[in-house]
Amino acid sequence: MTQKPQAKLLANYQPPSHQVEHIDLVFDLSPQHTRVTAKYNLIANNEQSYIELDGVDLKLITLKVDGQVHTDYTLLVDGIKINSVPQTFALEIETEIAPELNTSLEGLYLSDGAYCTQCEAEGFRKITYFFDRPDVLATYKVTVIGDKEFPFLLSNGNQLDAGELEEGRHFVTWEDPYKKPSYLFALVAGDFDKLEDKFVTKSGREVKLQIFVDKGNLSKAPHAMTSLQKSMKWDEERFNLEYDLDIYMIVAVDFFNMGAMENKGLNIFNSACVLANQETATDRDYHVIESIVGHEYFHNWTGNRVTCRDWFQLSLKEGLTVFRDQEFSSDLGSRALNRIDAVNAMRTHQFAEDAGPMAHPIRPEEVIEMNNFYTVTVYNKGAEVIRMMHTLLGEQGFQKGMQLYFERHDGQAVTCDDFVNAMADATQTDLNQFKLWYRQFGTPTLHVETYYDAEARTYQLDIKQTHATNDPISEPLHVPVAVELLDEQGQPIVLEGVQLKHGRVLELTEEAHRFVFHNVESEPTPVLLEDFSAPCLLEYRYSLAQLSHIAKYATSYYARWEAMQILFTQQIRTYVNAEAQNGNMFSELSSVLVSLFEHKPDDLAILAEYISVPNFDTLSGGYDVVPVDALCQAIKHLELQIAQLLEPYLIAFYTDTKDSGGLSAEDVAIRALRNKSLYYLALTQVDVSAWLCEQASSLNMTTKLGALSSALNAQHALSDAMMQEFDVQWNHDLLVMDKWFALQATSPTDKCIDVVLSLYSHPCFDKSNPNRVRALVGTFTRSNPQQFHRPDGKGYELLGDLIAELNELNPQNASRIITPLLSFKRFDENRQSKMRAQLERLAAISNLSDDLYEKIDRALN
Ligand code: 7MF
Ligand code: ZN
C-alpha cells in the first residue's frame, strides 16, 4: 500500500464552490483516442480564486478560461486545480480517453464493440473534468460523433440535430432540458436492433419508447417493453407521477457491473435484466426483469427529478425506489409472494451484513469508496424504513407526504431528513425519533413475553427492544409492530384496550412497553411482527402448537409462511445441537405439512414457499460460530424427511398436473410447485428418471432448469449427461450459459471446486464479464456453503486468486465478490485462519484498489 486511502465523512459536507447551469459536451469517438470537449460557465458561490474539479485517468489536451489558453493549473491524483480564475467565467476543457482500455466498466467503455457509459456514482470524472457530485445540477447538450458503423449515437433527452460528416462519420446532438447531476449522464454508440412502441400519458402526451438490443435479439425485447408500459401506467395510478420527456430509451449491454442504470431518458441495462423469451428465461427472470425495468423507470421521479445532495444520502433515492418497485410488483402480482421475497433478502443478506465488518446505517457516515455502499442495507433495509413510514402513516398519509416532497424539492438535490420532514409535515406526525433509523446500524431485537389472565380475561404483551452492542448510538427506535391474535378456532380476535394504528399496529417508542388487551375469552395465539412490519429479529418462545396454529389459520399467507420458517428453524436447531430427538417435534411439523397439502392455499406458488426450508445463510445467522458441516447435514436431513413424509402428495400433485408452458400467474405457480415436488422426490427412493428426462427436454426454461437442479442436488445418475446436453444445446447463448455455470457451481460433490476451476477455460467463460463471474464464482461462494467452506481451504483460495486477478481488471466486481470472506470471524478456528490468510494475502497487494482496501481493512481491523 503506497498511501492509505482517506475516508470521506458525512459530517464534513460542504456545498459546492461553484454553480454550473449548463454544460456543452462534444464526443469524438475512437477506441483509444476519444476526444471529449466540455464547455461550461462557472459561477462562484464564494470568494475563491481557484477551482478544483474531479478527473481520473484523463489526458488533458487544452484548457481555456474565457476563451484564452490557461496554464496556471496543477494536476492532482484525482482531479485538477485551476488557479487564478475570476468569480464568473467560461471554461473549456478538451481531454482524451481510451474506452477500449477501460476494463473497469465505469466511465466510457466498450461493451462488445458498443460504446456505453456508467457514471453512478463517480464515473463521470473518468470522462471529463467536472464537479462530479450529485448536488451540482446542470442541463446538458451533447454531440456524439462516430463512424457510421455505429448507426445509433445516443445520449440523454431529446434529439436536436443530426447529420453526415466526412470520412464515413456522422453526428447526433441531444439536449436534456431537465437539470441533472453528472451521475445521470449517459452516452451509447453502436449497432443494435430496435424495438419501438409508445405510451400515452394521462395528460395525453405521446411518449416514444425504444429498446436497443444486440443484433438478433429482438425477440427477447417485448417483455421489457410491456414491463415499461406497465410501470408508466402504475406510477400514474398509484403515485400520480407522469413521465416528463417525449422519448424513453433502454439499451441492453453485455458488459455491465450492475443490474441497470436510470440515466435520464436513456436507461442502460445489463442484458441479463432485459432479454427474455420463454425458451431462454425462467419465470423468475420474467419477474426480475419487470421489477428492474420498473425500478429504473420509477427513479425518474425518485432520484432524477429529486436527487441526492451527497452520496451519504443514497438511500433517499434507492430505499424509496426499491419500496416503489416492491409495491409495483405487489400490485401487479402476488403481494404475499413479493413480501416473502423481500423478507428472505433481508434475512439472508442484510442481517448478515449488519452482523459483519461492513455494517453501516442506511445513511452511512464514513465512506472510502462509494461503490462499496450500494448495499442491501442502503437498498433493502432502506426500503423497509420507507415501508415503516408507510405503515405508520397509511397509504393516504404516505401519498400526502410524497406530494409535499415533490412540491418542495422538485429539481433539487436533498437529504434523507428532507424526505422524512415532508412525510411528517404533510401528516402532522412527529417523526423525529423515527429518524434514528437512518443513523443506527445493526439489527434490533424485539423480546416478547405474553401472559394470559383467565379471570380478568386480559392478554398482556411485554415488548422490549435491544440493540447490537457494537452500535455506539443504541437508543430506542420508533418501531411499528403489527399483531394479530387468533382464538382457539383460528379466528382473529377483535383487539380491545390497546392503542393501535390502522387496527393492527402497536407503536414502540420506549425501551420497554406493556400492552394489555381486554375481553379476551381464552388464551390466544399471538402473530407477532406480522408482515415483517419492522426490520428486526423477534425473540419469543413460540410453542410448537402455537406455530402450527398460525401456519394453519393466520389471516395472511405471509404469517403462515413465517410460522413454517420458524418451525423449520427450530427443527434444524435440534439436529445441529444433536439434542435428544424430541419425537414430538417432527410429528407436529409433519401434521402441519400434511394439512397444508390437504387444504392447499389458492396460490400454489405460496405452497411451494411453505415447504421450502430456510437457506444456509439465513440459518447461520442464528449461531455465534457457524457450524458449517452440522448445518449442511441438518438441512439435508430435514429435506429428506420432508420428502419422505410428503411423497404421496408430491407424486399425486406432480402426476395430476402438467406444465402448460403459459405465463399466467397460475401457470407459473404450477411450475413452481412441480419443480419443488421434483426436487423433493429426487431425494427419495422414487424413480424420477422419466420425469427428469421429460422436464429436461422441455422448451420452457423454468421446467428445464427444475430438472437439472433437482438431478444435481440429488446427485442423480442422469445429471452429468443432462448437463452436457444443455451445454451443447445452449453454448451459443451466454445468458443461458450463466444458468448452467450457476448450476455447476452448486453441485454438492467434492469435485465441485475442480469443476469450477476447469470451467474458467470453457469457451463461454470470460473473467472480464461480471455476469459470468457472478454466475460461476458468485454462486459457488454464496450458494454452495459445504464446498466453499471446505476444511482444506481450497474454496477460499479459489476466491482469493480470482479477486487478486480482478483487482486490476475490475475493482468494483472484485469488491462485490469478496463478501463471503469478510465474515471470517464467525467460523471455527481452522476455517477462520484460512479465510483470514486469503484476506491478508490480498491486503499485501501493492496496487490494491480502494474498493478492496476498504473492505479488507474493516474486516481485519
Ligand atoms: C432493482 O439502483 C433494485 C436494485 C445503481 C446500480 C440499480 O438503479 C440502480 C442504480 C446497484 C445495485 C442494485 C440495483 C442497482 C444498482 C438495483 C436494480 C434494480 N442507480 Br449497484
Ligand atoms: Zn436504484
Side-chain angles (χ1 to χ4, degrees):
M1 195 89 275
T2 40
Q3 198 189 345
K4 204 175 149 220
Q6 281 291 299
K8 295 176 215 76
L9 306 184
L10 168 59
N12 292 346
Y13 172 80
Q14 292 290 329
S17 64
H18 291 71
Q19 270 155 260
V20 179
E21 299 278 325
H22 177 78
I23 172 164
D24 266 321
L25 288 167
V26 178
F27 288 81
D28 199 341
L29 296 172
S30 144
Q32 300 206 6
H33 305 280
T34 290
R35 285 288 169 105
V36 185
T37 311
K39 291 187 200 175
Y40 46 98
N41 293 326
L42 292 114
I43 307 156
N45 289 332
N46 54 30
E47 312 255 300
Q48 197 178 284
S49 63
Y50 65 93
I51 57 166
E52 274 186 31
L53 299 172
D54 303 301
V56 170
D57 297 340
L58 302 174
K59 182 167 155 195
L60 179 62
I61 307 293
T62 52
L63 171 62
K64 290 180 185 169
V65 170
D66 287 329
Q68 302 297 310
V69 172
H70 193 86
T71 53
D72 190 1
Y73 64 81
T74 328
L75 291 179
L76 313 168
V77 224
D78 54 1
I80 188 169
K81 184 171 178 223
I82 309 175
N83 301 308
S84 317
V85 295
Q87 287 289 106
T88 303
F89 65 101
L91 184 67
E92 181 178 334
I93 297 190
E94 190 179 1
T95 48
E96 190 179 285
I97 51 180
E100 194 173 53
L101 307 180
N102 181 356
T103 60
S104 70
L105 313 189
E106 192 183 55
L108 179 68
Y109 63 94
L110 280 169
S111 166
D112 258 347
Y115 290 89
C116 71
T117 55
Q118 172 54 38
C119 293
E120 186 176 6
E122 299 179 328
F124 192 74
R125 62 191 59 189
K126 291 183 156 189
I127 292 174
T128 188
Y129 288 107
F130 196 58
F131 294 108
D132 191 14
R133 45 187 288 168
D135 56 352
V136 174
L137 305 173
T139 53
Y140 283 61
K141 191 170 116 190
V142 180
T143 297
V144 187
I145 302 168
D147 287 345
K148 284 196 205 148
E149 287 164 48
F150 303 98
F152 295 102
L153 306 174
L154 312 175
S155 191
N156 317 82
N158 303 311
Q159 190 171 320
L160 259 193
D161 195 8
E164 306 269 318
L165 298 168
E166 282 164 20
E167 292 172 35
R169 291 173 76 78
H170 66 149
F171 78 95
V172 181
T173 301
W174 297 83
E175 188 171 54
D176 180 359
Y178 292 95
K179 290 193 148 204
K180 66 167 174 284
S182 54
Y183 82 86
L184 290 173
F185 165 80
L187 178 154
V188 172
D191 192 5
F192 301 102
D193 277 342
K194 177 173 73 173
L195 179 67
E196 191 161 306
D197 207 327
K198 63 175 187 181
F199 180 79
V200 180
T201 69
K202 65 186 165 105
S203 70
R205 279 186 312 104
E206 192 172 306
V207 181
K208 189 190 285 187
L209 311 178
Q210 299 179 322
I211 299 181
F212 298 87
V213 297
D214 275 356
K215 290 251 157 207
N217 276 335
L218 211 52
S219 73
K220 293 185 179 181
H223 175 63
M225 182 63 84
T226 310
S227 302
L228 176 58
Q229 290 161 326
K230 285 179 180 169
S231 307
M232 296 177 89
K233 185 101 193 117
W234 180 84
D235 217 11
E236 290 185 348
E237 285 173 353
R238 174 97 185 252
F239 278 81
N240 196 29
L241 294 171
E242 188 176 332
Y243 187 59
D244 54 4
L245 285 167
D246 300 329
I247 182 167
Y248 194 93
M249 296 174 279
I250 290 177
V251 183
V253 301
D254 291 327
F255 285 71
F256 207 65
N257 273 336
M258 31 238 221
M261 181 61 209
E262 70 264 24
N263 317 304
K264 183 80 186 189
L266 177 56
N267 290 179
I268 300 180
F269 272 61
N270 187 322
S271 56
C273 302
V274 177
L275 302 176
N277 68 30
Q278 283 274 49
E279 258 191 280
T280 62
T282 61
D283 295 332
R284 178 86 201 158
D285 294 331
Y286 272 84
H287 170 79
V288 167
I289 289 168
E290 182 181 271
S291 81
I292 298 189
V293 168
H295 180 96
E296 304 313 326
Y297 175 73
F298 304 140
H299 267 316
N300 191 54
W301 278 95
T302 51
N304 302 5
R305 289 289 288 255
V306 182
T307 196
C308 304
R309 186 192 71 172
D310 55 76
W311 288 121
F312 299 104
Q313 318 293 330
L314 180 61
S315 204
L316 172 82
K317 75 176 177 84
E318 296 303 348
L320 179 54
T321 304
V322 171
F323 171 77
R324 274 153 53 69
D325 82 52
Q326 289 175 351
E327 284 299 295
F328 168 63
S329 296
S330 303
D331 284 347
L332 266 62
S334 155
R335 183 159 287 272
L337 276 180
N338 278 289
R339 196 63 191 133
I340 289 170
D341 248 19
V343 173
N344 270 333
M346 284 295 294
R347 294 210 176 113
T348 308
H349 305 296
Q350 202 280 324
F351 284 11
E353 186 162 84
D354 253 346
M358 280 298 289
H360 54 277
I362 63 168
R363 183 184 54 213
E365 292 175 10
E366 206 184 317
V367 167
I368 291 177
E369 171 50 62
M370 190 53 212
N371 287 327
N372 283 338
F373 288 85
Y374 286 72
T375 59
V376 275
T377 298
V378 167
Y379 276 70
N380 299 63
K381 186 177 179 182
E384 294 302 323
V385 170
I386 301 286
R387 183 172 297 284
M388 285 191 282
M389 282 188 261
H390 186 272
T391 302
L392 290 167
L393 305 175
E395 168 71 6
Q396 258 198 338
F398 187 83
Q399 291 298 346
K400 271 170 114 176
M402 290 297 295
Q403 198 180 333
L404 184 60
Y405 175 64
F406 291 121
E407 274 167 28
R408 283 183 180 171
H409 302 300
D410 186 13
Q412 298 176 9
V414 304
T415 63
C416 297
D417 277 342
D418 291 322
F419 180 83
V420 181
N421 290 342
M423 285 288 153
D425 295 349
T427 56
Q428 284 102 49
T429 310
D430 182 352
L431 291 176
N432 282 310
Q433 185 184 0
F434 187 84
K435 286 179 180 166
L436 189 57
W437 279 107
Y438 285 87
R439 274 198 292 138
Q440 189 163 303
F441 66 86
T443 309
T445 304
L446 304 178
H447 307 260
V448 180
E449 293 194 42
T450 56
Y451 307 94
Y452 179 63
D453 183 335
E455 220 160 282
R457 299 194 307 144
T458 59
Y459 188 62
Q460 182 179 315
L461 276 185
D462 285 342
I463 311 184
K464 226 179 90 184
Q465 50 172 309
T466 59
H467 301 277
T469 47
N470 58 346
D471 188 321
I473 305 173
S474 200
E475 290 168 33
L477 288 156
H478 185 173
V479 188
V481 182
V483 293
E484 177 171 73
L485 300 183
L486 299 172
D487 69 15
E488 285 165 345
Q489 282 70 49
Q491 294 298 309
I493 294 169
V494 178
L495 304 178
E496 291 176 54
V498 163
Q499 259 219 341
L500 293 153
K501 278 241 161 104
H502 315 293
R504 60 180 202 112
V505 179
L506 302 167
E507 279 186 82
L508 312 185
T509 51
E510 315 276 328
E511 208 170 297
H513 285 261
R514 170 162 296 171
F515 301 99
V516 182
F517 295 94
H518 295 170
N519 300 323
V520 183
E521 302 290 335
S522 58
E523 176 154 15
T525 300
V527 182
L528 300 166
L529 204 65
E530 211 280 295
D531 207 36
F532 197 63
S533 61
C536 298
L537 285 159
L538 175 67
E539 217 173 270
Y540 176 63
R541 297 182 65 85
Y542 275 118
S543 69
L544 291 177
Q546 284 178 321
L547 290 167
S548 63
H549 200 64
I550 296 170
K552 288 177 192 164
Y553 302 116
T555 306
S556 78
Y557 284 158
Y558 173 84
R560 297 181 191 193
W561 169 79
E562 171 80 42
M564 291 306 296
Q565 294 287 293
I566 301 173
L567 279 169
F568 289 140
T569 306
Q570 290 187 357
Q571 182 71 56
I572 283 174
R573 180 166 277 277
T574 66
Y575 293 153
V576 168
N577 296 346
E579 281 167 16
Q581 273 313 302
N582 176 352
N584 226 347
M585 191 160 194
F586 191 72
S587 77
E588 189 77 41
L589 182 52
S590 303
S591 85
V592 194
L593 282 166
V594 165
S595 91
L596 290 175
F597 265 85
E598 296 201 327
H599 314 275
K600 291 195 187 76
D602 304 331
D603 185 345
L604 295 176
I606 290 282
L607 182 52
E609 295 295 333
Y610 285 170
I611 62 170
S612 297
V613 175
N615 62 29
F616 179 90
D617 283 350
T618 301
L619 292 164
S620 64
Y623 301 85
D624 293 330
V625 177
V626 181
V628 177
D629 307 286
L631 197 48
C632 290
Q633 285 297 318
I635 294 171
K636 250 168 119 168
H637 182 61
L638 178 58
E639 286 188 337
L640 178 60
Q641 279 187 303
I642 295 172
Q644 286 163 342
L645 171 77
L646 292 178
E647 194 180 285
Y649 297 94
L650 299 173
I651 293 175
F653 175 77
Y654 193 86
T655 51
D656 285 354
T657 53
K658 68 179 189 21
D659 171 18
S660 68
L663 273 180
S664 74
E666 225 176 15
D667 298 325
V668 170
I670 286 175
R671 275 195 291 275
L673 191 54
R674 279 176 62 82
N675 277 346
K676 190 54 83 181
S677 303
L678 187 60
Y679 174 88
Y680 276 126
L681 289 171
L683 299 174
T684 66
Q685 296 303 311
V686 178
D687 182 7
V688 292
S689 308
W691 295 336
L692 288 175
C693 288
E694 193 192 346
Q695 278 206 203
S697 64
S698 167
L699 293 178
N700 179 284
M701 188 51 77
T702 307
T703 293
K704 199 180 183 70
L705 279 182
L708 267 67
S709 60
S710 300
L712 263 172
N713 180 62
Q715 293 175 250
H716 193 280
L718 282 171
S719 65
D720 283 351
M722 284 164 67
M723 289 300 283
Q724 260 177 34
E725 206 172 306
F726 190 103
D727 182 6
V728 172
Q729 191 187 352
W730 285 108
N731 60 34
H732 62 280
D733 187 325
L734 297 177
L735 291 178
V736 176
M737 286 306 283
D738 282 343
K739 302 177 192 310
W740 183 83
F741 284 126
L743 276 176
Q744 295 280 23
T746 52
S747 160
T749 80
D750 289 340
K751 282 182 296 187
C752 185
I753 191 147
D754 296 323
V755 171
V756 170
L757 283 168
S758 73
L759 288 174
Y760 284 177
S761 35
H762 188 284
C764 293
F765 193 76
D766 174 1
K767 280 182 191 148
S768 69
N769 186 300
N771 289 0
R772 297 306 93 75
V773 170
R774 217 167 298 146
L776 185 62
V777 184
T779 306
F780 177 71
T781 61
R782 278 178 294 104
S783 308
N784 197 345
Q786 183 84 81
Q787 294 306 315
F788 174 61
H789 292 289
R790 288 163 63 104
D792 64 7
K794 282 196 175 154
Y796 311 141
E797 203 178 304
L798 176 146
L799 185 54
D801 288 348
L802 185 66
I803 293 168
E805 217 175 316
L806 289 180
N807 171 54
E808 285 185 51
L809 202 63
N810 185 336
Q812 244 184 84
N813 199 24
S815 180
R816 200 150 303 149
I817 61 173
I818 202 175
T819 306
L821 281 178
L822 300 179
S823 48
F824 66 92
K825 289 185 180 134
R826 309 210 34 245
F827 293 86
D828 56 71
E829 257 174 55
N830 168 48
R831 289 183 167 103
Q832 197 172 131
S833 72
K834 289 179 168 133
M835 291 169 95
R836 179 196 274 275
Q838 290 302 322
L839 291 175
E840 282 169 347
R841 155 205 176 187
L842 292 168
I845 293 178
S846 62
N847 60 346
L848 191 68
S849 65
D850 285 3
D851 312 52
L852 285 174
Y853 170 84
E854 180 168 39
K855 289 191 176 178
I856 295 172
D857 182 56
R858 279 209 194 202
L860 290 177
N861 305 311

